[in-house]
Amino acid sequence: MSTFVTLSTGQKMPVVGLGTWKSAPGQVKQAVLAALDCGYRHIDCAAAYSNEREVGEALALRVGPGRALQREEVFVTSKLWNTKHEPEDVEEACRTSLAHLGLTYLDLYLMHWPMAFEPGKELMPRREDGSICYSDTHYRHTWAAMEGLLDKGLVKAIGLSNFNARQTDDIIGMARHKPVVNQVECHPYLSQAALLSHCRSVAVCVTAYSPLGSGDRPWASPDEPSLLEDPRLGAIAQRYHKTLAQVVLRIQQNLEVFDFSLTEHDMKLIDSFNRSERFIVPSVERDGKKVWRDAGHLHFPFHDSY
């Protein structure tokens, strides 16, 4: 797989990466091994996925001296979780991910969300009523601590995830090391055209997560639309003798996306499917109504239109 995007640091990031969210214990190791063996060179991890040790076991079998791949051939991303936003917690969090992954550096380290949670060992610190315990630590202070990771050589680049355009600009305005990536939910039902355009204008690469709509997300409800069952996308896929998933990715199955191109007409047609509908925002039921769990957080990113 030789298709890359060049980041503002000059690094080449493989266009297609293997995401490890929702990969169950006992399965993620095999998934990473299979991915590396069939040509994936970008593995996307996060402390919050609670499976970095197992990802590390797979990397140890394939990457490094005497293995099939050299370290510089594989691009590894991880993310700083919300409970580690206090500046004094950032380096330890990064070093923990490195230890679990068995690496001496990360190619890219992202702030998973702009929202800080109360520090501690619990991934989701909760009150007795089940609500999340937030912290008002500003993401700018967290970013300044992340810049120190770059200075120490623990990471090659730093970036953002789930930041809106205003928050991205906020970081750029104070950064010594500018963010190279903003990883956000992006698929035909949420095309993110305005955010894409904005990030492009400030040299921040947008990475799409859950490009297939993540139908197995924990808070999905049965009445929500399924991207992979959309007959309009199915018709386009049939025309190219590809799977619907390959058409959505536009670009073994996910890697077989470089041998065809969609016409401009098809791209416009897919763009017209946009519903501005977010799937990957944790939701809860309050007073019989489904609402975004963290909408009350000071730095919740999705009150802005993009």
Side-chain angles (χ1 to χ4, degrees):
M1 185 176 69
S2 58
T3 302
F4 301 88
V5 61
T6 303
L7 303 176
S8 58
T9 53
Q11 290 167 284
K12 292 187 180 302
M13 182 175 74
V15 167
V16 178
L18 177 79
T20 55
W21 181 41
K22 302 192 305 294
S23 290
Q27 296 176 6
V28 69
K29 179 179 177 180
Q30 204 49 49
V32 173
L33 288 172
L36 292 171
D37 290 348
C38 78
Y40 278 79
R41 294 295 178 263
H42 183 178
I43 309 295
D44 182 271
C45 313
Y49 303 163
S50 302
N51 57 15
E52 287 190 322
R53 286 182 192 276
E54 206 173 321
V55 174
E57 290 172 16
L59 292 175
L61 292 173
R62 293 291 186 272
V63 182
R67 305 297 183 197
L69 297 165
Q70 296 306 303
R71 172 64 184 92
E72 57 272 17
E73 293 180 84
V74 181
F75 193 101
V76 182
T77 298
S78 189
K79 307 180 193 79
L80 177 78
W81 183 237
N82 306 359
T83 54
K84 304 298 180 183
H85 277 215
E86 293 297 319
E88 60 270 24
D89 293 339
V90 169
E91 184 174 330
E92 184 190 354
C94 179
R95 288 187 182 277
T96 299
S97 281
L98 286 170
H100 289 171
L101 293 166
L103 302 175
T104 57
Y105 70 88
L106 292 165
D107 296 278
L108 178 62
Y109 197 47
L110 307 178
M111 198 185 314
H112 207 147
W113 289 87
M115 306 176 295
F117 291 175
E118 187 177 274
K121 293 188 177 177
E122 293 292 319
L123 272 179
M124 307 294 293
R126 295 181 186 273
R127 300 181 185 85
E128 282 186 18
D129 65 0
S131 61
I132 304 288
C133 301
Y134 299 137
S135 161
D136 58 5
T137 299
H138 203 289
Y139 52 77
R140 285 196 299 261
H141 300 305
T142 308
W143 184 261
M146 288 176 68
E147 292 178 316
L149 306 176
L150 234 165
D151 297 334
K152 291 184 178 182
L154 296 174
V155 302
K156 298 276 188 185
I158 49 179
L160 311 170
S161 181
N162 297 301
F163 274 60
N164 62 37
R166 174 181 52 80
Q167 292 168 330
T168 302
D169 285 350
D170 201 12
I171 291 287
I172 290 171
M174 54 72 65
R176 287 189 299 114
H177 298 294
K178 293 190 176 177
V180 298
V181 159
N182 188 10
Q183 187 180 118
V184 298
E185 179 183 358
C186 188
H187 46 71
Y189 289 170
L190 183 69
S191 62
Q192 297 274 32
L195 183 62
L196 273 162
S197 175
H198 180 81
C199 286
R200 199 172 286 132
S201 74
V202 292
V204 172
C205 174
V206 170
T207 304
Y209 71 67
S210 297
L212 306 180
S214 194
D216 59 345
R217 62 197 178 281
W219 50 85
S221 60
D223 57 339
E224 288 173 339
S226 170
L227 188 63
L228 291 180
E229 292 172 7
D230 193 305
R232 300 166 300 177
L233 286 167
I236 294 173
Q238 224 171 7
R239 203 155 64 240
Y240 287 94
H241 306 290
K242 290 288 177 181
T243 67
L244 192 148
Q246 286 168 325
V247 168
V248 170
L249 289 176
R250 291 166 157 88
I251 13 189
Q252 208 100 33
Q253 185 187 53
N254 287 0
L255 288 185
E256 292 169 2
V257 290
F258 299 114
D259 60 352
F260 77 107
S261 297
L262 298 179
T263 65
E264 195 175 334
H265 171 77
D266 289 329
M267 292 290 279
K268 282 182 177 170
L269 183 60
I270 292 173
D271 285 343
S272 76
F273 300 165
N274 180 46
R275 309 158 63 110
S276 296
E277 185 162 353
R278 296 184 184 278
F279 292 148
I280 319 302
V281 186
S283 302
V284 294
E285 199 165 293
R286 288 188 190 131
D287 302 322
K289 190 181 173 189
K290 194 175 179 183
V291 296
W292 284 340
R293 185 192 67 203
D294 300 314
H297 195 289
L298 180 64
H299 301 306
F300 183 73
F302 305 136
H303 293 313
D304 292 30
S305 58
Y306 69 94

